[in-house]
């Protein structure tokens, strides 16, 4: 029996198995291979990324007027959910299952107890690595989840009968406190469905839920890094000189910032041991789950440069593998906020300081480029706008999160920065990606205060303040226009992107303040 869910005729349900035991189960069941470094490699089949158009939220009296109904949050009626849940429970019969009891939210005042039940040992290992464990045996034995997730990746829905779009489905029922996932083995669906849950619950308690990474400096200063997958949140927050709070999902409450998770889910294609040594070591550790990473069949050595299966190769590992991680997953109120974008047009400045109004404008806009492989059907970077830098995971209207962020920036006098980790010297296909070494130098300069006395000038299009110099960064890189051979082509691209910003922001005009609207790029 789980919270509100009775499992009948199950062959066996393995509860809270250890990492070592789960690794053995993965091998025994033929679900994955052990690499020469101790990590487990698995394949996820046709779904090597999220399938956002297969995500649903049950529409009932409690959600009808709260949820931000959109292509990312499609409604499903309660009866359809009940039928689908009944099918999943019937599918579980006669099968060996795995359950992990864990928490979401490092702050004990706001943490949420969850139970994740899955038909595969490797998905249970992933959940154990990613979420926060209960280390007290007595508390674990008496664990009562508030929400339960049923994971059946090999069960396929029938759209005509079940009301889904395809065989895959990710359905959250907030009133029943249940989540169903089926038809897809991609572990990111587990992670992001729980994130969506927190994005629904916490803002209603005036706690800001954020798609961002966070770390702490030697002086205790906290930095947040907002950005979509592929913009550098994980890489830039995993800084040997700063303690990591978390790499992807956080809450900001009255006590400060806290991690939702107890692990990391890093994109590892072309990962470099020189540029990203912290993540490299985690990838080559016992118990790490590697999704769709290619290995040598003889030596079992990992090849992170091979994207033949997907460019969205992933590694899931506990944050305890990072030696300089904050042990309690918590930090003070932020001193700096960094908003990351991978600008495929190649026209945005590599680093700029923003006013609070500009920060709100860019938070609501959430501009970046979808990186190849992150979602199905995306084969090359494509300019996109994603509200709050994570629209697919935001269950409430963007106004809710934006209002909370604006109040907290003002209350705690936070410095706000915009950093372009995308293209320089031209657009995608002509220019090149900004070297991560230079981006790291810019981040260090911003967080350390080294840019506080540097002269800055406003960008004529984007209005943000661009520093005239930055330690360890070539001066010619700081002005995007100067990196282009054809200056007229740059001007045309910049005006084009400014126009896209304006067009996208029309849907927010009704509630955005005059100050926020005035912070828009100039067309």
């Amino acid at each position: 029996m789980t919270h509100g869910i009775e499992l009948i005729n199950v062959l066996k349900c393995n509860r809270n198995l250890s990492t070592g035991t789960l690794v053995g189960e993965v091998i025994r069941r033929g679900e994955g291979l052990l690499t020469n470094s101790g990590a487990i490699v698995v394949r996820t089949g046709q779904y090597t990324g999220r399938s956002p158009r297969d995500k649903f939220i049950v529409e009932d009296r409690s959600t009808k007027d709260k949820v931000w109904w959109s292509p990312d949050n499609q409604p499903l009626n309660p009866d359809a959910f009940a039928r689908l849940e009944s099918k999943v429970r019937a599918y579980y019969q006669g099968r060996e299952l795995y359950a992990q009891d864990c928490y979401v939210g490092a702050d004990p005042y706001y943490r949420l107890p969850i139970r994740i039940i899955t038909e595969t040992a490797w998905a249970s290992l992933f959940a154990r690595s990613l979420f926060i464990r209960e280390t007290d045996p007595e508390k674990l034995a008496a664990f009562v989840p508030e929400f339960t997730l049923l994971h059946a990746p090999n069960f396929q829905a029938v759209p005509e009968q079940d009301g889904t779009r395809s065989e895959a489905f990710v359905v959250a029922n907030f009133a029943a406190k249940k989540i169903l996932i089926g038809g897809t083995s991609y572990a990111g669906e587990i992670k992001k469905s729980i994130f969506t849950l927190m994005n629904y619950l916490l803002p209603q308690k005036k706690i800001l839920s954020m798609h961002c990474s966070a770390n702490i400096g030697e002086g205790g200063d906290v930095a947040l890094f907002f950005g979509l997958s592929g913009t550098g949140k994980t890489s830039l927050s995993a800084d040997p000189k700063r303690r990591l709070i978390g790499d992807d999902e956080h809450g900001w409450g009255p006590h400060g910032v806290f991690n939702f998770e107890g692990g990391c889910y890093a994109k590892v294609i072309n990962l470099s041991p020189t540029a990203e040594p912290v993540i490299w070591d985690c990838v080559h550790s016992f118990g790490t789950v590697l999704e769709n990473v290619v290995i040598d069949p003889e030596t079992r050595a990992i090849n992170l440069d091979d994207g033949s299966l997907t460019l969205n190769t992933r590694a899931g590992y506990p944050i305890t593998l990072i030696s300089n991680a904050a042990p309690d997953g918590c930090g003070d109120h932020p001193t700096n906020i960094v908003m990351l974008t991978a600008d495929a047009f190649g026209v945005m400045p590599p680093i700029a300081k923003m006013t609070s109004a500009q920060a709100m404008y860019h938070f609501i806009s959430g501009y970046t480029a979808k990186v190849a492989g992150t979602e199905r059907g995306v084969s090359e970077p494509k300019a996109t706008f994603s509200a709050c830098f994570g629209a697919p995971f935001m269950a409430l209207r963007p106004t809710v999160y934006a209002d909370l962020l604006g109040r907290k920036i003002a209350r705690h006098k936070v410095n706000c920065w915009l950093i372009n980790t995308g293209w320089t010297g031209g657009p995608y296909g002509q220019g090149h990606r900004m070297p991560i070494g230079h981006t790291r130098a810019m981040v260090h300069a911003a967080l350390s205060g080294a840019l506080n006395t540097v002269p800055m000038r406003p960008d004529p299009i984007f209005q943000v303040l661009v520093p005239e110099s930055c330690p360890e960064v070539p001066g010619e890189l700081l002005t995007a226009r100067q990196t282009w051979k054809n200056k007229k082509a740059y001007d045309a691209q910049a005006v084009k992107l400014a126009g896209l910003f304006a067009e996208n922001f029309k849907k927010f005009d009704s509630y955005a303040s005059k100050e926020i609207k005035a912070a828009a790029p100039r067309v």
Side-chain angles (χ1 to χ4, degrees), residues 219-239:
D221 61 295
V222 170
L224 302 182
F225 298 81
F226 285 94
L228 292 180
S229 177
T231 57
K233 293 194 318 300
T234 299
S235 298
L236 293 172
S237 58
D239 186 337

Side-chain angles (χ1 to χ4, degrees), residues 30-33 40-51 120 122-123 126 151 153-154 156 167-168 182-190 265 289-294 309-316 373-374 376:
E31 295 177 1
L33 297 175
I40 287 288
V41 170
V42 298
R43 302 283 183 263
T44 63
Q46 65 169 318
Y47 289 89
T48 58
R50 289 184 297 103
S51 188
T120 61
W122 83 258
F126 173 83
H151 186 245
N154 295 316
Q156 296 186 338
E167 75 282 352
T184 169
S185 295
Y186 181 63
E189 300 288 15
I190 298 176
Y265 191 47
V289 177
L290 302 177
E291 284 185 296
N292 304 308
V293 171
V294 174
L309 295 175
T310 177
L311 295 178
N312 191 36
T313 53
R314 291 278 177 170
T374 302
R376 298 182 74 209

Side-chain angles (χ1 to χ4, degrees), residues 200-251:
Y200 178 76
L201 296 175
L202 288 186
Q204 297 183 62
K205 301 177 182 179
K206 305 302 180 184
I207 307 301
L208 176 60
S209 53
M210 306 173 291
H211 186 212
C212 70
S213 58
N215 61 25
I216 311 173
E218 294 179 355
D221 61 295
V222 170
L224 302 182
F225 298 81
F226 285 94
L228 292 180
S229 177
T231 57
K233 293 194 318 300
T234 299
S235 298
L236 293 172
S237 58
D239 186 337
K241 298 179 181 179
R242 299 175 65 87
R243 285 180 293 136
L244 180 69
I245 299 176
D247 81 323
D248 196 49
E249 303 171 3
H250 292 82

Side-chain angles (χ1 to χ4, degrees), residues 180-494:
L180 303 179
I181 298 177
T184 169
S185 295
Y186 181 63
E189 300 288 15
I190 298 176
K191 169 186 167 69
K192 292 305 184 185
S193 65
I194 296 297
F195 185 35
T196 301
L197 170 62
M198 297 297 277
N199 285 332
Y200 178 76
L201 296 175
L202 288 186
Q204 297 183 62
K205 301 177 182 179
K206 305 302 180 184
I207 307 301
L208 176 60
S209 53
M210 306 173 291
H211 186 212
C212 70
S213 58
N215 61 25
I216 311 173
E218 294 179 355
D221 61 295
V222 170
L224 302 182
F225 298 81
F226 285 94
L228 292 180
S229 177
T231 57
K233 293 194 318 300
T234 299
S235 298
L236 293 172
S237 58
D239 186 337
K241 298 179 181 179
R242 299 175 65 87
R243 285 180 293 136
L244 180 69
I245 299 176
D247 81 323
D248 196 49
E249 303 171 3
H250 292 82
W252 187 352
H255 311 122
V257 172
F258 60 96
N259 193 0
F260 285 170
E261 302 173 319
C264 302
Y265 191 47
K267 190 171 182 178
V268 295
I269 190 71
N270 299 321
L271 190 72
S272 165
T274 303
E276 298 163 301
V278 175
I279 302 174
W280 177 273
D281 289 342
C282 293
V283 167
H284 293 79
S285 296
F286 178 79
T288 291
V289 177
L290 302 177
E291 284 185 296
N292 304 308
V293 171
V294 174
I295 66 171
D296 186 289
E298 280 294 321
T299 66
R300 299 289 180 92
I302 301 168
N303 184 354
L304 298 178
D305 296 326
D306 191 331
S308 58
L309 295 175
T310 177
L311 295 178
N312 191 36
T313 53
R314 291 278 177 170
Y317 49 86
I319 200 169
T320 51
L321 290 180
I322 299 176
S323 59
N324 66 332
D328 61 354
C330 298
D332 204 348
H333 298 286
T335 302
N336 291 281
I337 286 177
V338 178
M339 294 185 183
L340 303 167
T341 180
D343 174 30
F345 289 89
V347 295
M348 297 192 76
I351 182 169
K353 191 169 186 178
M354 298 183 289
T355 64
S356 59
Q358 289 169 342
M360 292 303 301
Y361 181 89
H362 283 279
F363 178 73
I364 294 172
S365 299
Y367 167 69
T368 189
K370 287 182 179 177
V371 180
T374 302
E375 294 181 5
R376 298 182 74 209
V378 180
S379 59
E380 63 180 30
K382 180 182 178 182
T384 188
F385 294 89
S386 184
C388 310
F389 290 101
F393 325 123
M394 301 300 163
L396 306 174
R397 295 180 182 88
T399 53
V400 175
Y401 309 99
D403 181 64
L404 282 171
L405 179 65
R407 292 174 184 271
K408 291 181 180 295
I409 287 175
R411 183 179 306 143
H412 300 288
K413 297 179 173 59
V414 185
N415 296 316
C416 299
W417 304 89
L418 181 66
I419 288 185
N420 175 19
T421 64
W423 281 259
T424 182
Y428 171 76
Q430 298 178 29
H432 59 86
R433 197 81 186 258
M434 180 67 67
I436 190 170
H438 291 329
T439 299
R440 284 193 188 280
M442 296 177 206
V443 171
H444 287 161
L447 303 190
S448 68
L451 297 181
N452 290 350
T453 57
V454 172
M456 298 190 181
R457 45 185 171 67
D459 184 282
I461 298 291
F462 300 101
Q463 300 196 69
V464 291
L465 294 175
V466 180
E468 294 184 1
S469 64
C470 181
E472 301 181 33
V473 178
E476 61 271 17
L477 283 182
L478 295 176
T479 304
R481 190 174 188 270
Q482 294 303 115
T483 66
W484 284 51
K485 292 181 179 179
N486 188 333
K487 302 299 188 288
K488 290 185 178 180
Y490 169 88
D491 294 338
Q493 283 282 65

